[in-house]
């Protein structure tokens, strides 16, 4: 990866700020839609994908809502809402379609370099939770995207699926689990790197590392003048472009504020840091083969749902537990403690205060998490792995998330746990805020951005045809079209090599 110093094109067609999965996805989609586009990518760090998109900074779950209970909340009448789960499952299918195109066209290497099949499981204990999981299973399996999911309250069967979770557990405890074999573990860092490697070989694409975007000016002709500081020479250069994407992860909010677009007013950010326990005992790592998600503790943010997770990073199997949430005023792992105070402006102070007042349980939860001792962390791990020993685990820092705070007519301000795309009314600028379901749905998010910001081109037959080449289901709904969903899954499972192994099929037989 080159570290080009001087900016070659001062008037690119497209500027992408940040070299994470979002900019990578948008960059390659746009280049495929119009090969003549010139694209400049600015990244403040000395390598690509060193923040949230790096493999060790996120959980690598291909979010399909198979196992994540926070996507299927229980309603007041006791039934389980599944609309969000369907949307996420559909989005992930779209991501797999695009990644299949990348594999088939040799833009990436072998699929196992970035995606692996791994069963996705939910595991709960206690009568109420068992009741909830059964209702969730019944509701989800009526929809074709969740067919193939298995449910069990039988300890012996669950032990067969995940021995570490059942070893040493009180046999009188009510337990239940679901298992979906179509689950995945994704190394978003590896995927992002291959996309940038490919983009760098393309005519008119320039990636500038160690280059930080500092400021913006919206010109009278609708274009943007961007101040880019070369962090090695401390020199600032100006770049003019008709379109800019702020894909700066946690750094997106301060940049959106600087853009001064009316659509960006009133947003605030609430940073949540994370930590994992990483297993260092190869025998234990070998005994687990699933991503097992549980129920979030009361007051905890949805993305802090604990999970015991098999990962494969750079060909090596690993086992993670967490995340343990925490609080830091930084917006990026490599950010500044002044990020949060600097982001508070006249136009967002009211929503931020209101969101704070309405989220006292969350604040309390985060304070408790920060004060956790190693014994507290072990106790949380033992809920999932009763025989866990501290000496087999090491504490590591995960990535930083910035949850979105939005203006709200009724509450004054609300804290959101999803992703929020903000676009200028003339389509000349877009910014992505928030973190969940994040990288897994990057393709759908960027398709939505293209529809909003490149409206005229996206309406042409040429772009539509090209989009269908990249994503064959484009223009149809995989959530509604049962046959198309089956055909699509068959293709992506084969191209991305996502079938269950022989050993797993034996376990399930
Ligand atoms: C603990 C944790 C667990 C997660 N688990 C999952 C999961 O299991 N599955 C999933 O799908 N998603 C998960 N996510 C979310 C996912 O990681 C993110 O949605 C995704 O990586 C965001 O990609 P991005 O490109 O927007 O941001 P990033 O990958 O953070 O990239 C932004 C880049 O912008 C750069 N930058 C910032 N400011 C500037 C500036 N001023 N100028 C130039 N460059 C700048 C940064 O250095 C960085 O490289 C998780 C996130 C966290 C933190």
């Amino acid at each position: 990866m080159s570290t080009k110093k001087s900016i070659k094109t001062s008037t690119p067609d497209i500027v992408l700020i940040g070299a994470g999965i979002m900019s990578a996805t948008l960059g390659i989609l746009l280049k495929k839609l119009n090969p003549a586009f010139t694209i400049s990518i600015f990244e403040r760090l000395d390598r690509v994908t060193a923040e949230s998109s790096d493999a060790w900074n996120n959980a690598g779950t291909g979010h399909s809502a198979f196992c994540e209970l926070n996507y299927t909340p229980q309603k007041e009448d006791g039934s389980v809402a599944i609309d969000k789960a369907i949307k996420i499952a559909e989005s992930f299918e779209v991501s797999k379609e695009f990644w299949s195109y990348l594999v088939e066209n040799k833009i990436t290497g072998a699929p196992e370099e970035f995606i692996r099949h791994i069963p996705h499981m939910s595991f709960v204990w206690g009568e109420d939770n068992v009741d909830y999981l059964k209702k969730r299973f019944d509701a989800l399996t009526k929809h074709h995207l969740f067919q193939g999911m298995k449910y069990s309250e039988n300890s012996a069967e669950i032990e067969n699926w995940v021995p570490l979770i059942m070893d040493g557990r009180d046999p009188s405890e009510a337990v239940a689990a679901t298992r979906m074999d179509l689950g995945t573990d994704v190394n978003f860092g590896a995927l992002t790197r291959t996309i940038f490697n490919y983009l760098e070989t393309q005519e008119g694409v320039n990636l500038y590392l160690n280059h930080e975007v500092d400021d913006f000016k919206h010109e009278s002709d609708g274009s943007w003048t961007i101040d880019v500081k070369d962090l090695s020479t401390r020199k600032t250069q100006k770049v003019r472009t008709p379109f800019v994407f702020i894909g700066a992860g946690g750094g997106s909010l301060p940049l959106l504020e600087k853009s001064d677009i009316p659509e960006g007013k009133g947003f605030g950010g609430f940073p949540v840091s994370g930590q994992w326990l990483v297993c260092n005992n190869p025998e234990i790592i070998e005994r687990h083969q699933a991503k097992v998600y549980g129920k979030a503790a009361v007051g905890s943010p949805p993305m802090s749902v604990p999970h015991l997770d098999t990962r494969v990073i750079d060909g090596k199997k690993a086992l993670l537990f967490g995340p343990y949430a925490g609080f830091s005023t930084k917006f990026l792992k490599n950010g500044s403690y002044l990020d949060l105070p600097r982001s508070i402006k006249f136009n967002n102070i009211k929503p931020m205060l209101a969101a704070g007042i309405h989220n006292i349980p969350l604040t309390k939860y985060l304070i408790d998490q920060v004060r956790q001792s190693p014994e507290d962390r072990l106790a949380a791990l033992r809920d999932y792995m009763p025989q866990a020993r501290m000496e087999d685990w090491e504490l590591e820092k995960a990535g930083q998330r910035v949850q979105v705070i939005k203006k709200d007519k009724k509450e004054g301000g609300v804290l959101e746990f999803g992703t929020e795309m903000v676009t200028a009314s003339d389509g000349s600028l877009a910014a992505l805020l928030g973190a969940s379901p994040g990288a897994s749905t990057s393709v759908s998010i960027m398709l939505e951005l293209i529809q909003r910001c490149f409206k005229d081109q996206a309406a042409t037959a040429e772009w539509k045809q090209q989009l269908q080449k990249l994503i064959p289901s484009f223009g149809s709904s995989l959530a509604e079209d049962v046959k198309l969903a089956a055909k699509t899954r068959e293709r992506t499972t084969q191209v991305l090599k996502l079938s269950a192994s022989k050993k797993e099929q034996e376990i399930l037989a």
Side-chain angles (χ1 to χ4, degrees):
M1 192 109 357
S2 71
T3 327
K4 297 183 183 95
K5 291 279 158 61
S6 67
I7 293 176
K8 280 189 187 163
T9 319
S10 57
T11 55
D13 298 317
I14 314 280
V15 163
L16 305 174
I17 306 173
I21 184 104
M22 297 299 172
S23 288
T25 306
L26 182 60
I28 191 167
L29 281 171
L30 287 174
K31 196 67 186 164
K32 288 284 164 197
L33 287 167
N34 182 355
F37 272 151
T38 50
I39 304 180
S40 293
I41 307 147
F42 299 108
E43 167 56 52
R44 67 192 284 269
L45 298 177
D46 60 2
R47 61 196 170 98
V48 302
T49 189
E51 284 282 346
S52 291
S53 303
D54 176 61
W56 287 103
N57 284 341
N58 62 68
T61 303
H63 285 307
S64 309
F66 296 156
C67 58
E68 309 85 337
L69 303 180
N70 54 308
Y71 298 145
T72 47
Q74 193 152 19
K75 296 195 250 180
E76 269 179 19
D77 66 2
S79 63
V80 175
I82 62 163
D83 20 332
K84 188 170 182 187
I86 294 171
K87 198 160 174 265
I88 291 169
E90 182 183 31
S91 292
F92 193 64
E93 294 303 321
V94 170
S95 291
K96 285 194 295 180
E97 276 190 272
F98 182 58
W99 300 340
S100 296
Y101 167 88
L102 299 183
V103 170
E104 282 175 333
N105 288 275
K106 308 220 170 349
I107 289 170
T108 65
E112 55 270 32
E113 287 172 17
F114 71 92
I115 190 166
R116 303 250 176 174
H117 144 83
I118 187 92
H120 278 193
M121 291 183 55
S122 307
F123 176 77
V124 296
W125 58 92
E127 300 289 347
D128 287 352
N129 291 336
V130 169
D131 179 58
Y132 159 76
L133 195 66
K134 179 72 172 62
K135 279 186 183 149
R136 178 186 192 267
F137 168 77
D138 289 340
L140 283 180
T141 46
K142 286 193 182 85
H143 194 278
H144 60 274
L145 288 178
F146 298 89
Q147 265 164 25
M149 186 181 275
K150 295 185 174 66
Y151 175 83
S152 182
E153 290 178 24
N154 180 318
S155 299
E157 187 173 25
I158 301 173
E159 182 162 8
N160 198 25
W161 293 346
V162 273
L164 287 185
I165 288 205
M166 296 307 286
D167 269 5
R169 193 168 287 279
D170 176 357
S172 65
E173 193 174 43
V175 291
T178 54
R179 176 177 167 122
M180 187 75 175
D181 268 332
L182 205 64
T184 49
D185 177 57
V186 187
N187 183 336
F188 293 109
L191 177 61
T192 306
R193 267 188 296 278
T194 23
I195 296 178
F196 278 123
N197 283 343
Y198 169 79
L199 280 173
E200 276 211 286
T201 65
Q202 300 302 294
E203 185 73 33
V205 178
N206 289 294
L207 168 68
Y208 302 96
L209 300 174
N210 286 315
H211 280 69
E212 186 170 63
V213 171
D214 254 359
D215 212 351
F216 301 87
K217 186 169 171 243
H218 207 176
E219 304 291 350
S220 53
D221 65 355
S223 67
W224 291 89
T225 299
I226 301 173
D227 289 355
V228 186
K229 192 195 269 174
D230 180 336
L231 296 176
S232 39
T233 62
R234 312 305 293 175
K235 266 199 184 150
T236 297
Q237 281 174 271
K238 296 211 181 285
V239 173
R240 193 151 171 169
T241 182
F243 175 76
V244 52
F245 170 58
I246 307 177
S252 289
L253 176 68
L255 290 175
L256 176 64
E257 288 174 337
K258 285 183 178 168
S259 77
D260 219 19
I261 58 168
E263 296 79 4
K265 304 279 181 216
F267 283 99
F270 183 82
V272 179
S273 57
Q275 288 174 315
W276 316 110
L277 282 177
V278 179
C279 186
N280 56 25
N281 183 331
E283 276 173 34
I284 296 175
I285 298 171
E286 216 27 68
R287 286 190 70 209
H288 191 71
Q289 183 66 17
K291 280 178 180 274
V292 184
Y293 276 58
K295 259 201 130 179
V298 177
S300 68
M303 74 285 177
S304 306
V305 173
H307 41 101
L308 188 63
D309 243 22
T310 295
R311 304 283 314 270
V312 181
I313 298 176
D314 302 330
K316 205 168 165 231
K317 196 172 163 188
L319 183 61
L320 256 66
F321 180 75
Y324 298 94
F327 179 74
S328 151
T329 53
K330 286 184 184 185
F331 279 178
L332 290 161
K333 202 168 171 180
N334 299 285
S336 151
Y337 288 108
L338 295 174
D339 287 342
L340 177 63
R342 277 190 192 140
S343 75
I344 301 171
K345 308 279 175 216
F346 184 68
N347 67 58
N348 66 10
I349 192 152
K350 198 175 145 203
M352 288 184 76
L353 285 174
I357 291 164
H358 292 119
N359 286 282
I360 303 281
L362 169 66
T363 315
K364 189 183 164 305
Y365 168 83
L366 290 176
I367 292 169
D368 288 349
Q369 288 271 303
V370 173
R371 284 171 30 204
Q372 271 193 8
S373 64
E375 289 74 27
D376 295 329
R377 284 194 205 100
L378 181 63
L381 171 60
R382 282 191 175 153
D383 282 342
Y384 288 83
M385 190 185 152
Q387 300 206 321
R389 298 175 313 167
M390 207 54 222
E391 59 263 39
D392 295 325
W393 298 82
E394 280 157 35
L395 193 63
E396 299 286 347
K397 225 169 149 189
Q400 187 76 0
R401 304 190 210 223
V402 179
Q403 305 305 141
V404 182
I405 294 176
K406 248 172 111 173
K407 268 196 269 188
D408 182 80
K409 275 197 183 126
K410 220 171 92 199
E411 311 267 351
V414 286
L415 186 62
E416 298 264 315
F417 293 101
T419 348
E420 182 83 30
M421 200 194 339
V422 182
T423 46
S425 57
D426 62 357
S428 63
L429 179 142
L432 193 71
L433 306 176
S436 183
S440 300
T441 51
S442 51
V443 179
S444 300
I445 296 173
M446 291 307 137
L447 287 176
E448 166 71 23
L449 183 153
I450 288 169
Q451 299 297 328
R452 283 208 225 166
C453 297
F454 295 84
K455 223 188 233 161
D456 294 342
Q457 294 104 310
T460 61
E462 204 187 333
W463 274 40
K464 281 187 187 160
Q465 274 167 14
Q466 182 62 359
L467 281 168
Q468 262 161 4
K469 230 171 103 186
L470 306 174
I471 299 143
S473 77
F474 180 78
S476 309
S477 163
L478 292 173
E480 283 166 23
D481 192 331
V482 182
K483 271 194 190 150
L484 182 64
K487 191 173 146 207
T488 302
R489 265 195 179 161
E490 200 183 307
R491 168 180 170 245
T492 56
T493 301
Q494 191 244 325
V495 176
L496 299 174
K497 300 190 197 157
L498 298 177
S499 304
S501 67
K502 249 191 170 160
K503 196 173 150 200
E504 280 162 346
Q505 285 168 8
E506 279 163 23
I507 289 175
L508 292 173

